[in-house]
Amino acid sequence: MASGVTVNEEVIKVFNDMKVRKSSSSDEVKKRKKAVLFCLSDDKKKIIVEEGKQILVGDIGESVDDPYACFVKLLPLNDCRYGLYDATYETKESKKEDLVFVFWAPEGAPLKSKMIYASSKDAIKKKFTGIKHEWQVNGLDDIQDRTTLADKLGGNVVVSLEGRPL
């Protein structure tokens, strides 16, 4: 069931910037988003970029020690969100980077919020072409342990996530 919610152009721009890894200067790389949250606008008609809910690549090692733990802390405990997380991981064969689309619907979120986010998910997913990994998360227990994300990315072939062994 579609909700009639539309996706703001800024959301699409953020996705495209995260998806395309152009060869860029180190200053440009630092400004690239590692993770970002999207929410519904106040009138519940648009999916927008949530102000101040992002991690930049340049923050890692500066104000952010562990980007994955920092991403988990951005998620509100009592409302739904969509998120994009640019996961860096290693398998036994190679280093990889993949975007993960996260649909956060914690048990403490209001039922109405869960319903509108669930029915609007296809609108945002259609704009995010080429996403290989989608993850619906219903609480901190599902997301706090990084091995759960590693399983989504490739199961037991993943040996490290964000430079940390599993």
Side-chain angles (χ1 to χ4, degrees):
M1 177 187 87
S3 63
V5 168
T6 59
V7 180
N8 184 294
E9 283 300 314
E10 181 69 12
V11 170
I12 299 161
K13 182 183 180 319
V14 165
F15 168 71
N16 286 327
D17 289 349
M18 287 177 77
K19 183 172 98 168
V20 178
R21 290 181 182 42
K22 303 185 280 279
S23 55
S24 33
S25 72
S26 63
D27 281 350
E28 288 170 328
V29 168
K30 285 180 181 174
K31 289 182 185 143
R32 194 164 66 211
K33 289 173 178 41
K34 175 74 177 168
V36 65
L37 292 185
F38 307 102
C39 62
L40 288 170
S41 57
D42 290 340
D43 65 5
K44 308 279 186 254
K45 298 215 183 303
K46 277 196 200 97
I47 297 168
I48 58 172
V49 177
E50 188 168 9
E51 274 307 305
K53 298 290 185 173
Q54 64 181 16
I55 302 167
L56 301 180
V57 171
D59 295 339
I60 301 166
E62 299 290 322
S63 59
V64 173
D65 176 41
D66 179 348
Y68 183 71
C70 190
F71 172 68
V72 171
K73 284 186 186 127
L74 291 177
L75 298 165
L77 295 178
N78 57 359
D79 207 355
C80 302
R81 290 295 181 272
Y82 306 113
L84 273 180
Y85 185 79
D86 191 358
T88 305
Y89 60 104
E90 281 182 71
T91 64
K92 292 174 180 96
E93 291 85 42
S94 63
K95 283 188 172 189
K96 297 183 175 189
E97 287 184 52
D98 277 331
L99 283 179
V100 180
F101 173 71
V102 177
F103 171 36
W104 170 250
E107 292 183 15
L111 183 60
K112 188 172 182 180
S113 179
K114 288 183 194 176
M115 288 172 64
I116 194 160
Y117 272 85
S119 62
S120 304
K121 185 176 80 168
D122 278 350
I124 192 169
K125 272 186 53 193
K126 279 185 187 134
K127 303 292 184 186
F128 290 176
T129 52
I131 289 272
K132 286 192 250 174
H133 307 284
E134 179 187 335
W135 189 14
Q136 180 169 336
V137 186
N138 299 103
L140 284 177
D141 290 349
D142 297 343
I143 198 169
Q144 274 177 321
D145 184 353
R146 65 187 63 243
T147 56
T148 317
L149 175 57
D151 287 345
K152 285 274 171 220
L153 294 167
N156 57 5
V157 299
V158 177
V159 293
S160 80
L161 179 67
E162 304 305 341
R164 293 167 188 245
L166 297 170

